[in-house]
Amino acid sequence: MVDAEITENRNRKISLFFTKASLLVVFLVVSVIYSTFIGSVTIPVQNIASIYLKQIPFFGNFVSAGYTYSQYEIVVLIREPEVLAAVVVGAALAIGGTSVQSVFRNPITEPYIIGISSGATLGAVIALATSTTIFGAYSVQFLSFFTSIAVVFVVYFLSFRTGRVPPIYLLLTGIAISLFISALVGLILFSSRKLQNEAFAWLLGSLSGITWQELGLVTLLVMISSLILGTIWKELDALQMGEPHARSIGVNVEKTKLIALTVTTVGVSAAVSISGLIGFVGLVIPHLARIVFGGSNRKVLPMSALFGGIFLLISDDLARTLVHNEILPVGIITGLIGVPFFMYMLSRISRGNYVS
Amino acid sequence: MSLKLDHIGYNRGSFSLRDISISVPEGSILGIGGQNGSGKSTLLKLMYGFYRPDSGRIFLEKKALSEISTREISRNIAVVNQEISEPFNFTALEVVKLSGYSRNDETISPLEAMEKCGISHLSNRTFSELSGGEKRLVIIAAAVYQDAKIILMDEPTAFLDVDKEERVKAIIRNLNEDGRTLILVLHDINLLNSICSHVVLLKEGRIIAEGKKETVLTLENLENAYSTRFRILEDAGPYKFAPADYKLM
Amino acid sequence: MKRNIQIISVIVIVIIVGGSAFGIEHYLNNSNASNSSKSTADTLTPVYNVNVTEANGTVESFNLSNVGGYAYIPSPQNGTWDLNHTLSRIVTLIPSVTATLYALHSYNDVIGVDQYSVYPAPTKNVTVFNFEIGSIPLESITNLTPGVVVDTSGTFSTQQLNQLVNVLHIPYLVIDPGTISQIENQTTLLGYLTGTSNNANIINSWMNYNIQNLSNDLSNISSSSEYSVFYYLYPASDGIYTAGPGTFINQELKDAHLNNIVNVTGYPVVSAATVANANPDYVLLDQYTNETTLNQTIQGLPAEKQNHIVQIANDDFFSEPNFRIVYSMYWLAEQFYPHNVNLSDVYSFNKYTGLNLSQQPGVGVNS
C-alpha cells in the first residue's frame, strides 16, 4: 500500500512539476514574441508578423514585404537581439546566483560577490579611459570579460588555505578585492570626469545596443557554462549540506567548487560584458525558483534560468516603454522590482520556513 | 572492512594530534572519549579523509586512505557529522537521497532507510523546519542509506530528548548487528560504557588508553582523561561512573 | 578526476576561443575591408577627413579636428568619410548645430532634434528627443532613417554607437568647437554638408565683422583696467565647475575684455579656496544657479560682499557654441563696460547676411 501511494504521489509531483515548468516555457515564449511588438516606435502588428515570416529560411522568399526597411531594421536588428539578450543575460545571472549560493551555502550571496562585478567594471572603465580599439567596436565588452575572470582567479588563489578554499575566506577575499578594485575604478573615474557619464551608464546596466554578433558569442558561453553546471547539480546540492557532509558522501568538494566557480564566472562575465551591472537577478531569482520548485539544483538550475530570463525580459520591456521615447537603464528597473521582493524573502527567511 | 590509523600526527598551531595509532576491529562499536578539545572530532574528520594527516597513514582495509578516491571512501565509510548546514528548501527525503551520490546499486531505498530510523513520516517535510533531534535522525537515515560498512558518528546523541536518544542507541545497535563497524565520538562516559565494545580515550591530542571497553574504562584512566576523580555507582541503571563528589539523591 | 580535468580544459578552451573570437572576427573583417568593398568591419575608429561632393560637382574637404570633433562611419575606408551627395536627413542632438543649420537655411534637412534645441522652435515635421531621465531609443532614430546623427560625445554607450554605426549604418558625427574660429569652422562644415557654403561664408563674415567692431569699441580698455572674473557654472561635490582656457567661453570672456581667473584648461572643477585665493573682481553666475548657492560654496569672497555678481541672462547664447555668441559677447561687454559697448551695437543679422531668418537670432539674449 505504501509503495503504490508513494508512486502515485511521485507521479503527481512529477506531473505538477512539468505543468509548472511548461507554463513557464510558454510564458517565456509569449513574452519574447510580445516584447518585439513593443517599443518607442509603433509598428503595425501585421508588419511585424510578415517580418517574422520573412526571417524563416526559404519560406521567407514567398512573403511579400508590406513593411518599410526601417521597420525591418527595428525588429530584426534592434529589438530581437535585445529581447533575446535579456533572456540570456537573465538566465546567466540567475544560474550563476544558484551556483554561487550553493557553493557559499549563503542565501544572500550572488555571483558578483566573488569579484565579477568589480573586475568587469575595471575592464570596462580601462577600455573607456584608454579608448582602446584593439578589439574593434567590442573592446569594452572584451576587456570587461577578461578582467572579470582575472579578478575572480586572483580572489580564488588568495583564498587558498592549506589546500582548501573555505567559502568564508572566498567570500571575505571576494569582498575585499572587490572594494580594492572599486577604489581603482574610482581613481580612474575621478581623474576623468568625462568618463563618469559612460561608466555610470555601464554601472546601471543596459541591454540597449546589443548586436547579433555579440549575442551569439555570449549565448554560446552562457550555454556551455550552464550545461556544465547542470552536470554537477548533485555536487552543488551536497555542498549545501556543508563540506564535511558533502565530502562524506563522496563529493570532491574542492573540485566541485573550482568547476562551479570557473564556469559561473565565465557565464556571468560573458553576460555582464554586454549588459553592464544588472543587480538583483542573481540574488533573488534562485530563491524564487527554490520556493516554487523546491531546493534541489536539479530543478532550481533550469528553472532559475527560466525565471531569470522572464524577469529580465519584463524588466527590459518596462525600461524601454515606461517613459515614452526614452530608455531607462534596466538595472534601475530590476532594482526597483528586486528590492521589495528581497524584503519579502527576508521576512520569509526570518520566519524560518525557508532557511533558518 | 577494517580501519587502521598508523602514527597519525595532525598539527594546527595551538592544537595538535600526536602519534595516534588505532586499529578499529571489524564489527565493533568503537567509542572515542575525552574532554572537550581533546581532538575527538578532528580525529573523526581525519578518518574519512576530510582532513589530511601531517604524518602517519590511515588504512582502509589494506589501502592507504590518501590513495583512494573520495567516492570509493564514501562507499565504505558513512559519516554523521554533528553540525550540518541547512540546505535551501530541501525535503528530508531529498537530504537522505543525496547520500546515494556514490552508490552504484540500491540495496535499500531512501524511504526504507528513513523507515529504519522511524522517521518515514518526515519524508516530505522541509529539512530546515525540523527540530534538532529530527534533523539528527534524518542524517542518520542518510548514513544508513549510504550503506557503508563503517559508520562514523560525531556525538550522535547530543542534545536529544530521551526518547530520541534511546532510538539512536537502538539504531546503532541494529546497525552493529547487521555487521557494520561504528566509530562514535562521545563525551558521555556512561554512553561509552553502555553502547561501545571498544573505547579510545584522548587527552590533549594523545591516546591515553585504547582497547576493549572493560580494560579501558577504569577509574585511573578516566581520572587521567578527564582530570577529575570518579567513583563507581552501584545499581544506578545505565549510569556507572560519576564524579567522585557527585551525590546520588 | 580525469573527467574534471577534461571539463576544466574544455572551459579554458571555451574562454580562449570564445574570447578571441571577438578579436579574430575584428581582424578578419579588417583584412576584408582592404580587399573587398562589401565589408562590415565592426570598429569604432574615429574618422577625421570628410569629402563632400557638392551638387555642382566640386569636392569639399574638411578636417573634423578643426571643429574639435570626429566621426564614426560604417566601413571607414582609408580613414575618410566620402559623401557623394549633401546630407538631407539630419538628426542633431546639439542645440548650437540646430541653430546654425537654421541660419544656413538648411532646417528643412533637420528631421530630429534634442529637447534643448529651442532655436528655432521645432516644426511639427521635426521629432524632438527627450533624454532627461533615460537615453534615446535607437529604434526611434532608425525610424527616421537619418543620413547622419550629429551629437556631442557621451550621449550613447559604445555598445549603442556600435549598433548605430556598424549595424544600422548610420554615420555619427561629433562636433565640439573650443574656440571662436572652430565655431566658424563648424558653420563652414555644416555649410559643406548641406550644400549651403555661401550662406556659411556670409554668417562667418557677419561674426567677424561684429567681433572686430567689439574689439574696436573696447580698444581703450587697457589690460590693467580689465575686470577679473570667475565663471560659476554649477557646484560639484568637491568644488565648482567652471570654464578655463581652450573653451569658447574663455574666449568670449577674453573678447569682452574680461580676465578669467581660471587657468586650468577645459571645464575643470576648482576648489573654493582657489577662487578665494585668486580673488576675482566679479563672479559671473550661470543662468541656472543662484546667489544662495554661490554664498554657500564660496564664503567671504570680496566680490560677494560688494555684490559684484553678474548673472548670465540667457545661457542659450552664452554657452552654445555657434554664431549667436556674438550677442552674448556684446551683452557681457555691456554689463562691464557700459560706456564703451551697447548690446544694440550688434549689426543686424538679417541686414548683413540677407538670410532673413523669421525667428530673429538675437532675441532673448538679455532676458
Side-chain angles (χ1 to χ4, degrees), chain B residues 16-176:
Chain B
S16 64
L17 286 170
R18 269 166 294 177
D19 198 27
I20 306 282
S21 292
I22 305 171
S23 183
V24 185
E26 235 180 294
S28 64
I29 302 181
L30 174 77
I32 303 173
Q35 280 180 309
N36 293 336
S38 59
K40 304 186 296 281
S41 297
T42 308
L43 186 58
L44 200 79
K45 287 200 168 78
L46 281 161
M47 282 179 175
Y48 72 98
F50 186 71
Y51 293 153
R52 276 168 190 271
D54 296 324
S55 59
R57 293 211 283 179
I58 299 169
F59 292 96
L60 183 64
E61 205 68 40
K62 292 276 181 286
K63 273 162 117 183
L65 203 61
S66 56
E67 279 147 33
I68 312 175
S69 75
T70 318
R71 262 172 199 268
E72 190 58 35
I73 294 172
S74 72
R75 287 193 191 110
N76 295 299
I77 305 177
V79 185
V80 177
N81 278 295
Q82 191 185 359
E83 278 166 14
I84 290 290
S85 302
E86 282 165 8
F88 309 115
N89 213 14
F90 273 39
T91 62
L93 185 64
E94 282 172 322
V95 169
V96 175
K97 269 187 184 166
L98 275 180
S99 294
Y101 176 74
S102 301
R103 286 184 49 168
N104 298 326
D105 53 337
E106 201 164 79
T107 48
I108 176 172
S109 79
L111 265 174
E112 280 166 5
M114 293 184 89
E115 189 93 50
K116 259 194 175 175
C117 300
I119 49 162
S120 54
H121 60 287
L122 298 178
S123 64
N124 284 326
R125 292 269 302 279
T126 305
F127 183 72
S128 55
E129 285 176 329
L130 300 177
S131 72
E134 289 169 333
K135 279 178 193 159
R136 184 78 48 81
L137 283 167
V138 171
I139 298 301
I140 292 173
V144 170
Y145 175 56
Q146 198 172 330
D147 197 23
K149 281 281 172 239
I150 301 172
I151 299 176
L152 313 181
M153 296 189 183
D154 193 353
E155 301 284 5
T157 59
F159 310 118
L160 293 191
D161 302 338
V162 181
D163 65 319
K164 296 221 178 58
E165 183 178 321
E166 286 309 315
R167 197 190 292 169
V168 169
K169 283 197 228 166
I171 294 167
I172 290 171
R173 286 199 192 93
N174 283 338
L175 288 169
N176 186 237

Side-chain angles (χ1 to χ4, degrees), chain C residues 16-301:
Chain C
I16 294 166
V17 172
S20 323
F22 278 113
I24 292 168
E25 173 75 29
H26 168 62
Y27 284 110
L28 281 181
N29 280 336
N30 258 10
S31 59
N32 282 347
S34 51
N35 301 334
S36 75
S37 55
K38 66 177 177 70
S39 129
T40 51
D42 282 0
T43 113
L44 281 182
T45 316
V47 164
Y48 293 98
N49 294 317
V50 190
N51 294 330
V52 194
T53 309
E54 303 285 330
N56 59 12
T58 54
V59 178
E60 304 284 4
S61 293
F62 192 90
N63 189 327
L64 291 175
S65 46
N66 293 334
V67 289
Y70 57 88
Y72 290 144
I73 57 165
S75 354
Q77 311 272 327
N78 319 318
T80 306
W81 184 17
D82 285 311
L83 279 164
N84 48 17
H85 53 81
T86 55
L87 293 170
S88 58
R89 297 184 67 79
I90 299 173
V91 170
T92 152
L93 305 174
I94 317 177
S96 58
V97 169
T98 313
T100 307
L101 289 171
Y102 174 66
L104 288 168
H105 280 195
S106 300
Y107 196 70
N108 283 340
D109 297 330
V110 174
I111 52 170
V113 297
D114 71 312
Q115 62 195 337
Y116 300 109
S117 289
V118 290
Y119 177 78
T123 58
K124 69 174 192 304
N125 299 328
V126 174
T127 307
V128 180
F129 291 106
N130 287 287
F131 46 102
E132 239 164 331
I133 318 177
S135 59
I136 301 174
L138 290 180
E139 62 177 66
S140 304
I141 290 181
T142 307
N143 198 38
L144 299 176
T145 60
V148 69
V149 174
V150 190
D151 190 17
T152 49
S153 59
T155 309
F156 297 104
S157 68
T158 50
Q159 190 151 266
Q160 289 172 317
L161 286 178
N162 175 47
Q163 191 175 53
L164 184 78
V165 175
N166 291 319
V167 177
L168 302 166
H169 305 292
I170 298 169
Y172 179 77
L173 173 62
V174 170
I175 300 180
D176 191 8
T179 62
I180 286 174
S181 64
Q182 288 198 345
I183 290 175
E184 292 179 0
N185 291 338
Q186 167 182 266
T187 313
T188 308
L189 169 67
L190 293 172
Y192 288 159
L193 290 176
T194 55
T196 52
S197 300
N198 293 338
N199 295 353
N201 291 338
I202 304 170
I203 293 170
N204 284 342
S205 145
W206 172 82
M207 268 185 91
N208 289 335
Y209 178 79
N210 281 299
I211 291 170
Q212 187 56 51
N213 281 348
L214 181 68
S215 172
N216 294 343
D217 292 349
L218 294 174
S219 58
N220 62 344
I221 298 187
S222 67
S223 59
S224 58
S225 55
E226 278 180 5
Y227 292 113
S228 67
V229 293
F230 171 68
Y231 173 46
Y232 189 109
L233 185 49
Y234 60 91
S237 58
D238 49 348
I240 303 112
Y241 275 100
T242 184
T247 64
F248 67 92
I249 289 179
N250 192 62
Q251 206 168 353
E252 279 181 79
L253 298 176
K254 210 172 155 195
D255 285 2
H257 280 239
L258 297 170
N259 190 5
N260 190 355
I261 62 153
V262 176
N263 49 22
V264 187
T265 53
Y267 294 92
V269 171
V270 295
S271 67
T274 311
V275 180
N277 210 29
N279 191 17
D281 298 329
Y282 275 85
V283 174
L284 189 58
L285 210 52
D286 191 75
Q287 184 190 354
Y288 297 105
T289 184
N290 55 50
E291 283 187 41
T292 320
T293 319
L294 167 68
N295 292 333
Q296 279 165 356
T297 38
I298 315 176
Q299 278 144 13
L301 206 60

Side-chain angles (χ1 to χ4, degrees), chain A residues 40-41 77 79 134 137-138 141-142 190 193-194 208-211 213-214 221 255 263 274 325-327, chain C residues 1 4 11 14 19 25 27 42 130 132-135 137 139-140 153 159-160 162-163 167 238 241 269:
Chain A
S40 49
V41 176
L77 299 179
R79 286 186 192 170
I134 31 169
Y138 298 109
Q141 292 88 322
F142 186 88
F190 193 75
R193 277 167 199 278
K194 210 180 149 195
S208 165
I210 289 168
T211 62
Q213 199 175 7
E214 41 188 333
L221 290 173
K255 257 180 208 132
V263 294
I274 59 167
N325 225 4
E326 284 185 63
I327 325 173
Chain C
M1 177 79 186
N4 289 340
I11 298 164
V14 166
E25 173 75 29
Y27 284 110
D42 282 0
N130 287 287
E132 239 164 331
I133 318 177
S135 59
E139 62 177 66
S140 304
S153 59
Q159 190 151 266
Q160 289 172 317
N162 175 47
Q163 191 175 53
V167 177
D238 49 348
Y241 275 100
V269 171

Side-chain angles (χ1 to χ4, degrees), chain B residues 174-186:
Chain B
N174 283 338
L175 288 169
N176 186 237
E177 277 159 22
D178 283 356
R180 282 172 235 269
T181 310
L182 286 106
I183 302 171
L184 315 173
V185 164
L186 294 166

